[in-house]
Amino acid sequence: MLVVVDVVAQRVRTTWTKRSRGGPSAAVRNRVPIAFPLPPGVALHEVDVDESTGFSPRFAARPLGELDGVVLREADGVLSVLVTPSPRGMPKRNWPRSPVRLERGEWLRWQINQRFGPVCSCGSDWSYRLETLNLAYGGRADFTGKPTRSVTELGDLR
């Protein structure tokens, strides 16, 4: 396992069903921030925001090694970051994708949305997810500000 030092990340996952695709629930969902203040001393700040909780955020601090779906490679003072979306999600994304290269002091915001099929054939709903990765290399960042680099992969979720 590659060990990358001096990286701070925040992942904000907002999840909903068709009940929040329009109307008042969609308005609440659309007000969910894509970044939150970062607690001190945290390497990975996970924020889950879900329709089932009325879009109230739940926070967790985790080790950076638990940042699944993200490939980090550090070489010669440059960090390469590649986000790999869930293979179960739709729409499918074009491959191969290029990693984003960060120099020390820079930070990245990578957003991707996906739709997921019903878990069973018992009539459960499709689910939808907007995932935002805020990642800083070489120090802390104010993720509520403007990123140095950004990648937006927002597809039509129908």
Side-chain angles (χ1 to χ4, degrees):
M1 172 184 223
L2 177 67
V3 177
V4 178
V5 295
D6 214 11
V7 172
V8 177
Q10 179 182 74
R11 182 183 350 231
V12 180
R13 280 188 177 144
T14 304
T15 307
W16 66 97
T17 67
K18 67 180 179 181
R19 290 184 294 279
S20 296
R21 288 202 66 189
S25 294
V28 174
R29 173 179 53 86
N30 288 330
R31 286 192 299 269
V32 172
I34 57 173
F36 291 82
L38 195 61
V42 171
L44 172 57
H45 187 225
E46 294 266 352
V47 183
D48 286 308
V49 186
D50 191 88
E51 175 185 83
S52 67
T53 62
F55 297 104
S56 294
R58 294 181 314 259
F59 302 98
R62 304 199 191 292
L64 190 60
E66 293 184 22
L67 185 59
D68 60 317
V70 179
V71 178
L72 302 175
R73 300 220 191 286
E74 185 178 34
D76 300 323
V78 175
L79 180 70
S80 294
V81 183
L82 182 63
V83 173
T84 307
S86 170
R88 298 180 309 118
M90 295 176 266
K92 299 299 182 197
R93 303 305 203 246
N94 294 330
W95 296 99
R97 294 158 56 211
S98 299
V100 173
R101 297 170 50 87
L102 297 176
E103 299 204 15
R104 291 193 168 277
E106 294 183 325
W107 72 278
L108 164 70
R109 174 171 292 142
W110 196 314
Q111 288 191 289
I112 189 165
N113 63 351
Q114 291 186 284
R115 179 184 79 223
F116 297 89
V119 177
C120 65
S121 59
C122 56
S124 64
D125 287 333
W126 287 82
S127 65
Y128 306 88
R129 180 190 309 159
L130 172 62
E131 190 165 322
T132 303
L133 173 68
N134 298 303
L135 187 139
Y137 178 51
R140 296 180 61 80
D142 176 8
F143 291 142
T144 62
K146 183 175 168 57
T148 310
R149 305 248 191 284
S150 63
V151 176
T152 304
E153 294 185 82
L154 301 180
D156 183 4
L157 299 181
R158 295 185 193 229

